[in-house]
Amino acid sequence: MAGTPIGTSGLELPRVIFGSSNLGNLFTAHSDETKLAIAKAWFDHADTPVMVDTAGKYGAGLALESIGKNLRELGVPPENIIINNKLGWARTPLTTPEPTFEPGAWVGLEHDAVQKISRDGILECWREGDALLGAPYASATASVHDPDEYLAAASDDADRERRLRDVLEAYEALAELRESGRIAAVGIGAKDWRVIEELDRHVAFDWVMIANSLTIYSHPTDLLAFLDRLEGKGVPVINSAVFHAGFLVGGAYFDYRAVDPADPDDAKLLAWRAKFHELCTRHDVPPGVACVRFAVAPAAVKSIAVNSSRAERLAQFVDAVDADVPAGLWADLKTEGLIRDDFPIG
């Protein structure tokens, strides 16, 4: 699977990028053996260089530490790995029974984290990230982590303007790192794609990552129009979190919150999933394969980021990118109103 060039560095985005939140103990404290098996699966099922997406927020730096540790144990040459570090959270001492930065999400941690989105803060996070990875590995690309959430936390319009300046100054610092050759590319990742659209007017991105936004469950027409504009500018799109935190393939969490069957909205989610799985079974297509094939269907999407705590499932996701899915499944999904009639698939 050929990659897509990004920026002027000669670096290419692979067709499949691997997430690493599980290495930071998202919802479950995985064993060292499980984490090593996940890292090994990256290289077993994808061509090199393998690209991994990580963040200081993932387990308050635990994911970064695990990546470096596992790569050294596997003897991976630095040129065979591309690490993208989403910056904006720095490690701090843990002084409470559980971490305060995202209660309920991360377990078994020995550190807390604090948000630092500013020029100096983003540089601090970048230096810390490479230190946690450890030699001989370092981040090749970088972005500001969840700028949408940072802006959404504003107390009023004036506070949002201040926060927007923080984000733009952080990106100025990343641009300088790129220009000096210390990183190869600068991107953006967010769950609220409209914030990406807003920042795209100010920042020259080498790539864009959308999360929980363009999935078989949710795929608004105006988002597709924005992605087409990015493609027109030559900015590749990475589609991420296409399972809504595992919910679409049977998980108990939707977008990182527990699903409550007693809640009317969540009951609708569960009913949608039940019908989706029923149609997948009818056409003998695993739900995860359908999710991946759908997520890479738009021409603007050049890569997909996949994540799993089960090493054996990663192979399925990689194969799913080019899987032959019966047109009848897409037709039935449209007929049943599970996906839009005008979506470019089928």
Side-chain angles (χ1 to χ4, degrees), residues 37-302:
I38 291 170
K40 184 176 183 298
W42 299 340
F43 296 90
D44 287 344
H45 304 297
D47 296 332
T48 56
V50 165
M51 186 168 182
V52 177
D53 178 65
T54 191
K57 189 179 185 181
Y58 293 168
L62 178 60
L64 286 156
E65 287 183 317
S66 295
I67 290 169
K69 176 177 179 290
N70 291 332
L71 293 176
R72 282 186 289 273
E73 187 163 344
L74 294 171
V76 175
E79 62 270 20
N80 284 358
I81 183 77
I82 301 169
I83 298 170
N84 174 60
N85 192 3
K86 301 191 293 287
L87 307 170
W89 291 85
R91 175 176 281 185
T92 59
L94 180 63
T95 61
T96 52
E98 69 167 344
T100 61
F101 67 98
E102 207 166 30
W106 308 96
V107 300
L109 302 189
E110 298 179 357
H111 302 88
D112 208 337
V114 62
Q115 193 170 45
K116 293 193 174 184
I117 295 182
S118 65
R119 177 183 177 81
D120 291 341
I122 223 70
L123 292 173
E124 177 185 341
C125 293
W126 168 68
R127 288 190 292 266
E128 179 179 86
D130 282 359
L132 291 172
L133 284 169
Y137 308 106
S139 53
T141 80
S143 65
V144 176
H145 198 181
D146 291 336
D148 51 338
E149 294 181 359
Y150 183 69
L151 294 174
S155 57
D156 53 33
D157 289 346
D159 187 34
R160 192 183 190 282
E161 284 298 315
R162 178 188 64 78
R163 288 170 176 261
L164 179 58
R165 287 195 300 272
D166 289 342
V167 173
L168 294 179
E169 288 174 1
Y171 269 111
E172 288 174 2
L174 292 182
E176 291 172 9
L177 291 178
R178 177 180 57 193
E179 290 161 10
S180 68
R182 286 176 284 181
I183 59 175
V186 173
I188 183 172
K191 301 178 184 70
D192 184 349
W193 66 269
R194 293 192 180 278
V195 168
I196 298 177
E197 185 179 40
E198 176 185 3
L199 294 176
D200 181 60
R201 296 193 288 268
H202 301 277
V203 181
F205 294 119
D206 295 308
W207 52 265
V208 160
M209 177 184 286
I210 56 173
N212 298 329
S213 299
L214 181 62
T215 71
I216 202 166
Y217 177 76
S218 175
H219 39 278
T221 299
D222 48 355
L223 169 56
L224 291 171
F226 171 54
L227 299 190
D228 286 343
R229 294 196 296 274
L230 289 173
E231 185 183 25
K233 298 195 303 180
V235 178
V237 174
I238 304 166
N239 202 351
S240 174
V242 301
F243 310 120
H244 288 283
F247 176 80
L248 297 185
V249 292
Y253 291 83
F254 180 85
D255 291 355
Y256 313 107
R257 65 170 181 81
V259 173
D260 179 7
D263 180 274
D265 289 335
D266 284 357
K268 292 178 182 177
L269 276 177
L270 290 165
W272 187 99
R273 185 176 69 181
K275 188 63 177 179
F276 170 54
H277 282 213
E278 176 191 330
L279 293 176
C280 286
T281 299
R282 182 185 303 173
H283 291 276
D284 196 26
V285 177
V289 172
C291 289
V292 171
R293 282 295 293 125
F294 186 93
V296 299
V301 176
K302 307 304 182 184

Side-chain angles (χ1 to χ4, degrees), residues 275-336:
K275 188 63 177 179
F276 170 54
H277 282 213
E278 176 191 330
L279 293 176
C280 286
T281 299
R282 182 185 303 173
H283 291 276
D284 196 26
V285 177
V289 172
C291 289
V292 171
R293 282 295 293 125
F294 186 93
V296 299
V301 176
K302 307 304 182 184
S303 303
I304 186 168
V306 297
N307 195 8
S308 178
S309 61
R310 294 167 52 188
E312 68 275 11
R313 183 171 277 183
L314 290 174
Q316 182 188 78
F317 294 159
V318 172
D319 292 342
V321 171
D322 296 309
D324 184 15
V325 174
L329 173 60
W330 309 125
D332 283 353
L333 288 168
K334 290 179 178 181
T335 298
E336 295 290 340

